[in-house]
Amino acid sequence: MNEYRPGGFQQLPMVVKNLLIINILVFLLQNLLDARGLNIDDMFALHYWASPKFRWWQMFTHMFMHGGISHILMNMFALWMFGRILENVWGPRRFIMFYLICGLGAAVCHMGVLAFEFSQYHNAFLKYQSSPSFVEFMHFTKKFKVGINPQAITEWGQNQASTSYIDSSIKVLNDVYLRKINEATVGASGAIFGLLFAFGYLFPNTLLYVYFAIPVKAKWFVAAYAAIELFSGIQNSAGDNVAHFAHLGGMLFAFILLRIWNDRTRNRFN
C-alpha cells in the first residue's frame, strides 16, 4: 500500500473520537484545578523512576495530559489527521493497541535517556565534590548547561580561594539534580509520532502539505521529522524542554510493531 486514497472511510472513527474527548476533558480538568491551586502533575504526569514522585500508572496517564494550548492542539490535530486513517485501515482494536504501545515505548525510551543523563551528571558531581574549584565549576555548568547567577560567578572569580563559594556551588549543583529528577513529562506526542511513522510506512507516496501549501511525500516528511528530532535531542540545547527521544521512541516502537505484524501476515500466507 503506497498511497492513501480516501473513500468510504469514517471521518471520525470510534477510538480516535474517544481519545480526542478524553484528552480535551483532561486538559480542561488540568486547567480548572490549576486555577484553584491544585496541580495534578505530581500524581499523573510521568516522573523519572528514581524520583519520589514516580508512580507506575504515570506510564499511561501522562499520555492524556498536556502542557499548554498549543501542545494539545498540535497533538490532537495529528491524532485526527493520521489516526482516523489508520483506525479505518486496522480497525479499533488493533489501532488502540498500537497507540498505547507506542506511547508506552516512548516513555520507556525517555526513561532510558534520562537514566543515561542522570548517571553522567551524578558521576561528574561526585568527581566535582572530591576536588571543587572555580574552574571545575565553570566546566561542569557548561557541560551540563546549568543556569548560574552571573553576579555570583563574577564575585567568585575575583575571590577563588573562598570556601563559602565552594560550599554554595555544591549546594547549587545538588539542587539542580533534585529539580531535574523531579521534572514531569506530559503529552501524547510519543504515541502521535508512532502514528506519524505508521502513516509514512503504510502510505509512503501520499502527499502531505506542509503549512497547507508545500507538497511532500509522507516518507520524506517522516524521515525529515525523525532527523530533526534526533538532531535536537543530541544538541540538548539549554531551555529545550521537549522530550525528543520520547518522540523517536514512539517511532521506534511503531517500526518494531509494524514489522512484527508484517512478518505474521507473511507467515500466515506462506
Side-chain angles (χ1 to χ4, degrees):
M1 198 179 298
N2 290 323
E3 187 174 358
Y4 169 70
R5 293 184 175 87
F9 280 38
Q10 298 180 60
Q11 288 298 317
L12 196 59
M14 178 182 67
V15 174
V16 169
K17 178 174 70 175
N18 285 310
L19 286 173
L20 289 170
I21 292 171
I22 292 170
N23 277 278
I24 292 170
L25 287 178
V26 170
F27 181 72
L28 293 175
L29 179 63
Q30 281 180 263
N31 285 273
L32 178 63
L33 293 177
D34 190 55
R36 299 188 177 187
L38 298 173
N39 192 317
I40 61 175
D41 285 5
D42 286 351
M43 185 62 65
F44 298 109
L46 181 63
H47 292 81
Y48 181 53
W49 63 268
S51 168
K53 297 181 180 182
F54 174 74
R55 301 291 184 272
W56 66 265
W57 58 77
Q58 294 170 357
M59 298 289 286
F60 294 92
T61 55
H62 82 280
M63 288 187 271
F64 301 95
M65 303 176 68
H66 289 84
I69 188 67
S70 61
H71 191 199
I72 190 171
L73 284 178
M74 289 178 64
N75 277 349
M76 294 305 97
F77 176 74
L79 172 60
W80 170 80
M81 184 175 179
F82 302 111
R84 64 195 174 97
I85 297 170
L86 295 172
E87 185 180 348
N88 276 301
V89 172
W90 288 333
R93 185 174 179 181
R94 176 167 285 199
F95 175 79
I96 190 60
M97 181 193 306
F98 182 87
Y99 183 88
L100 292 176
I101 289 176
C102 288
L104 287 171
V108 169
C109 290
H110 180 59
M111 289 288 199
V113 170
L114 288 181
F116 175 74
E117 291 178 349
F118 288 148
S119 174
Q120 282 195 318
Y121 189 101
H122 181 68
N123 292 336
F125 183 45
L126 291 177
K127 183 180 178 181
Y128 175 77
Q129 286 178 289
S130 66
S131 56
S133 69
F134 175 78
V135 174
E136 288 300 317
F137 180 76
M138 296 304 296
H139 176 72
F140 189 104
T141 54
K142 182 179 180 180
K143 180 179 180 180
F144 293 99
K145 299 179 175 63
V146 176
I148 50 180
N149 185 328
Q151 182 178 350
I153 290 300
T154 301
E155 292 174 357
W156 188 11
Q158 294 170 348
N159 188 18
Q160 296 185 25
S162 173
T163 57
S164 63
Y165 288 107
I166 290 176
D167 293 339
S168 297
S169 72
I170 292 174
K171 183 180 184 305
V172 165
L173 297 183
N174 186 59
D175 289 345
V176 168
Y177 177 77
L178 293 176
R179 186 171 68 251
K180 284 182 174 294
I181 209 171
N182 288 317
E183 283 180 349
T185 301
V186 295
S189 300
I192 298 298
F193 270 78
L195 299 183
L196 173 63
F197 181 89
F199 186 87
Y201 185 91
L202 295 174
F203 311 107
N205 294 319
T206 298
L207 291 178
L208 300 176
Y209 288 85
V210 180
Y211 299 115
F212 304 101
I214 306 170
V216 179
K217 286 187 176 181
K219 58 185 177 184
W220 302 125
F221 181 82
V222 171
Y225 222 140
I228 292 170
E229 289 297 317
L230 180 61
F231 176 78
S232 300
I234 293 173
Q235 281 289 102
N236 192 24
S237 303
D240 184 357
N241 61 351
V242 177
H244 298 288
F245 286 104
H247 298 169
L248 292 170
M251 287 184 160
L252 173 63
F253 273 75
F255 172 74
I256 293 171
L257 200 50
L258 289 167
R259 288 301 299 266
I260 291 172
W261 287 350
N262 282 351
D263 289 344
R264 286 179 179 175
T265 302
R266 191 179 300 114
N267 291 336
R268 191 178 301 122
F269 280 106
N270 289 338

